[in-house]
Amino acid sequence: MKSFTAEQLKQLYLQFFKENNHAVIPSASLIPENDPTVLFTTAGMHPLVPYLLGQPHALGKRLTDVQKCIRTVDIDSVGDAFHLTFFEMLGNWSLGDYFKEGAIKMSHEFLTSPKWLGIDPNKLSVTVFAGDSDAPKDEESARAWQSLGIPKERIYFNPKDDNWWGPAGLTGPCGPCTEMFYDTGKEKCGPNCRPGCSCGKYCEIWNDVFMEYNKTKEGKYELLKQKNVDTGMGTERTSAVLQGKKNVYETDIFIPVMNKIKENSKNKENERSMKIIADHLKAATFILGDDKGIAPSNVDQGYIIRRLIRRSVRHCRLLGIENNFCKDIAEMIIDLYKEDYPELEKNKQFVLNEMDKEEIRFKETLDAGIKFFDRNINLNIEKKEISGHDAFLLFQSHGFPLEMTKELIKEKGIQTSADFDKEFDAEFQKHQELSRLASEKKFKSGLADYQEETIKLHTATHLLHAALRQILGEYVRQKGSNITVERLRFDFSHDKKMTSEELKKVEDLVNEQIKKALPITREEMTLEEARKKGAIAFFDEKYDKEKVSVYTISGFSKEVCSGPHVENTAVLGHFKILKEEASAAGIRRIKAIVAPEPEKKYMSH
Ligand code: ATP
Ligand code: MG
């Protein structure tokens, strides 16, 4: 296999498709035009949706490009081998021209021909769509791969979850896809390890999507006027493969940035922090540098920029980088990419200014917390130890993350009190109790059953959490919860509006559990045991790892939680979702109630 730089890979890709009669189109903005359903362009197909739906494209039926993409859903994976927040997607499209066989043939040729990438075909495996009630099994793609020499054993059939693409919003063009994986040569992580496994053995480099359906508002899949092909190949991942690297950060396009971060680090072991900084600051540079002129803020894309920069600053501190560093990295990234993305050079001053301002702003917040921390330590100088109460004060008064406090403690060589976690937890509980009392006071009618109502809503929250994970997927995580006597409010990770169909399913599933009159039990165990038993536990830091309470709603939900809960779901009556809305980027919010009787007067969705 030949080795190519990322730049050479991009040029080769465009050249290959030009030779196959594709017109090269420019990368579109990272901020989608006329599409309020997504914050960012996450794939090359976004800007092409009107053409996939049948509008003729001025440059013809065969197109190719390199598209800059942002995937906020992958932020938490950043630091692994192959997931980035920002990446460049190579793509080719057929707008009602060639279809499965043609697309697969070109993909195979580009990947394996010695004239192009020359990847060893024995290292490739592919996945195809297994079929379901919406669309048939994709035998055609499987046959196409086989005819090109990919043996049956390396062709895997998968359901919609894995081998169906789109639509980007709730409605729009979509269809089955076939994904190409490179075997990195790593040991299998277990007997079920196969393409799609996240252990790092198989790296997904390219996806050919066959867009022949349009998903309607009613959730039906209608055949499109034309059969389209939409493909996407990750530049960074494919570069890693071609350069024989274990991960994207060791490729030519990342090396200068990674080196610079490392040079400035005191803690050179912590590679994960370096990777996060390199990824996040690149993403922030590209969003700031887009022609839309979006600055850090508390909403929409601005909020994402803020999150990316602040997280980078925190990781800089973990590495012992104290000087204002973000803009230096941004400048480096602009230099690396300015030829392909001239907007970066054009908006350079804006990018550097905003980057620097945000870094300084965040450090002020952090520093105020640190001063407070030091003062506290000085007061306790004889003890030379810090308690969970102190940590809670920091958290409460300065929004200083517990994780950061722990880092500081370690750095300064101070001891923590024996019951540090317990103390923190107790303060946390007490605080919640206090704010509960405060709101109780505010509640004019002074209901005697206040406590009872909120306990019911608390149990309903667990049912809702489990139901959302069943209906939407295991990735759903609690991001916040707030209960008043009137309603529960639950924030969770999910990146698009829920359909009325999904809301109804969730509501029905919760009501089913109420009807079943399930008992609720509480057990104590270590956090580790709780995990083993499959309990959901998300706010790890604040638990006492040696002893946690686990609440089980028989056969349906298991969560680490400090309670209290009702004894049986039957007392909840009827569960009703009042509202589903956006809370922050990538986070949705549900407000719901429980009522003795099903009532019709509640708002419907
Ligand atoms: P994965 O399952 O590995 O997250 P995906 O199925 O989400 O990948 P697609 O949506 O099919 O990926 O995107 C097409 C191609 O874009 C992938 O084959 C991969 O090469 C690249 N890609 C996708 N997500 C990322 C990412 N977060 N970072 C880098 N490259 C990516
Ligand atoms: Mg993905």
Side-chain angles (χ1 to χ4, degrees), residues 87-151:
F87 65 100
E88 292 178 275
M89 192 185 277
L90 303 160
N92 60 282
W93 287 272
S94 155
L95 305 171
D97 189 353
Y98 59 86
F99 201 46
K100 294 179 181 175
E101 206 190 324
I104 290 174
K105 207 162 151 248
M106 281 188 263
S107 291
H108 185 265
E109 185 186 349
F110 182 66
L111 290 174
T112 61
S113 160
K115 188 175 164 208
W116 302 98
L117 300 187
I119 294 176
D120 178 358
N122 296 319
K123 296 272 178 67
L124 292 178
S125 39
V126 300
T127 58
V128 291
F129 179 55
D132 62 16
S133 54
D134 295 322
K137 184 172 177 181
D138 191 1
E139 304 276 13
E140 194 182 338
S141 295
R143 268 199 306 274
W145 285 116
Q146 252 182 294
S147 75
L148 294 163
I150 303 286

Side-chain angles (χ1 to χ4, degrees), residues 71 74 82-87 89 165 179-180 204-207 232-238:
R71 288 202 180 173
D74 287 339
F82 303 121
H83 284 93
L84 295 161
T85 315
F86 171 88
F87 65 100
M89 192 185 277
W165 217 95
E179 298 178 320
M180 290 146 261
E204 182 199 320
I205 50 179
W206 202 353
N207 191 358
M233 171 192 267
T235 304
E236 296 78 1
R237 289 188 190 181
T238 310

Side-chain angles (χ1 to χ4, degrees), residues 20-260:
N20 282 285
N21 303 317
H22 290 66
V24 179
I25 56 172
S27 176
S29 165
L30 272 176
I31 321 297
E33 313 266 347
N34 312 320
D35 187 354
T37 62
V38 283
L39 282 182
F40 294 105
T41 299
T42 63
M45 60 85 65
H46 276 164
L48 292 171
V49 169
Y51 311 104
L52 294 164
L53 290 172
Q55 188 180 313
H57 195 284
L59 293 174
K61 293 183 168 183
R62 294 184 177 210
L63 307 172
T64 184
D65 74 4
V66 183
Q67 173 66 48
K68 48 181 176 173
C69 297
I70 291 276
R71 288 202 180 173
T72 54
V73 290
D74 287 339
I75 281 187
D76 289 334
S77 309
V78 170
D80 75 1
F82 303 121
H83 284 93
L84 295 161
T85 315
F86 171 88
F87 65 100
E88 292 178 275
M89 192 185 277
L90 303 160
N92 60 282
W93 287 272
S94 155
L95 305 171
D97 189 353
Y98 59 86
F99 201 46
K100 294 179 181 175
E101 206 190 324
I104 290 174
K105 207 162 151 248
M106 281 188 263
S107 291
H108 185 265
E109 185 186 349
F110 182 66
L111 290 174
T112 61
S113 160
K115 188 175 164 208
W116 302 98
L117 300 187
I119 294 176
D120 178 358
N122 296 319
K123 296 272 178 67
L124 292 178
S125 39
V126 300
T127 58
V128 291
F129 179 55
D132 62 16
S133 54
D134 295 322
K137 184 172 177 181
D138 191 1
E139 304 276 13
E140 194 182 338
S141 295
R143 268 199 306 274
W145 285 116
Q146 252 182 294
S147 75
L148 294 163
I150 303 286
K152 262 195 187 138
E153 308 80 67
R154 296 210 307 272
I155 302 175
Y156 297 83
F157 288 88
N158 285 327
K160 255 211 195 77
D161 277 353
D162 303 300
N163 279 74
W164 188 272
W165 217 95
L170 290 176
T171 60
C174 56
C177 64
T178 178
E179 298 178 320
M180 290 146 261
F181 290 82
Y182 180 80
D183 183 346
T184 61
K186 239 176 109 163
E187 283 291 307
K188 284 190 178 204
C189 65
N192 296 326
C193 186
R194 57 180 243 166
C197 176
S198 60
C199 76
K201 177 175 176 59
Y202 296 100
C203 171
E204 182 199 320
I205 50 179
W206 202 353
N207 191 358
D208 289 358
V209 185
F210 306 115
M211 296 200 159
E212 49 179 329
Y213 298 95
N214 182 38
K215 187 175 177 192
T216 66
K217 274 205 295 286
E218 295 73 35
K220 288 214 182 70
Y221 294 87
E222 287 172 348
L223 278 176
L224 282 173
K225 271 194 266 176
Q226 63 190 36
K227 292 184 176 194
N228 307 296
V229 175
D230 153 39
T231 92
M233 171 192 267
T235 304
E236 296 78 1
R237 289 188 190 181
T238 310
S239 297
V241 164
L242 294 169
Q243 295 170 25
K245 304 296 185 194
K246 290 195 299 294
N247 63 59
V248 291
Y249 303 96
E250 292 174 15
T251 60
D252 69 295
I253 195 71
F254 268 106
I255 286 173
V257 176
M258 287 297 283
N259 282 349
K260 171 126 182 152

Side-chain angles (χ1 to χ4, degrees), residues 404-508:
M404 198 89 177
T405 304
K406 285 186 173 171
E407 285 295 332
L408 274 176
I409 293 173
K410 213 156 92 193
E411 232 172 65
K412 305 214 172 215
I414 302 161
Q415 300 282 323
T416 53
S417 56
D419 289 331
F420 183 85
D421 284 327
K422 249 188 218 152
E423 289 161 356
F424 186 90
D425 208 19
E427 287 292 345
F428 194 85
Q429 301 284 340
K430 198 160 84 195
H431 177 73
Q432 290 208 317
E433 196 58 42
L434 285 176
S435 54
R436 184 178 291 173
L437 282 172
S439 54
E440 190 171 0
K441 265 198 200 137
K442 271 189 232 146
F443 198 70
K444 277 188 247 87
S445 50
L447 284 179
D449 61 359
Y450 174 82
Q451 185 76 4
E452 205 180 296
E453 283 307 311
T454 55
I455 294 174
K456 278 187 193 166
L457 286 166
H458 190 188
T459 304
T461 301
H462 279 216
L463 289 172
L464 171 63
H465 193 184
L468 286 167
R469 286 165 61 92
Q470 269 192 36
I471 303 296
L472 299 177
E474 294 272 298
Y475 64 85
V476 168
R477 272 154 195 258
Q478 173 173 338
K479 291 291 179 185
S481 164
N482 169 289
I483 294 172
T484 70
V485 71
E486 291 113 327
R487 53 107 184 108
L488 68 84
R489 192 182 80 197
F490 186 72
D491 291 354
F492 59 98
S493 50
H494 182 54
D495 64 357
K496 47 182 177 275
K497 189 164 178 52
M498 285 176 68
T499 60
S500 43
E501 211 177 298
E502 288 168 336
L503 286 169
K504 171 130 195 343
K505 277 192 193 157
V506 167
E507 214 174 73
D508 289 350

Side-chain angles (χ1 to χ4, degrees), residues 273-286:
S273 286
M274 297 179 199
K275 290 172 179 171
I276 291 173
I277 297 167
D279 168 80
H280 283 17
L281 291 181
K282 191 196 279 190
T285 301
F286 267 88

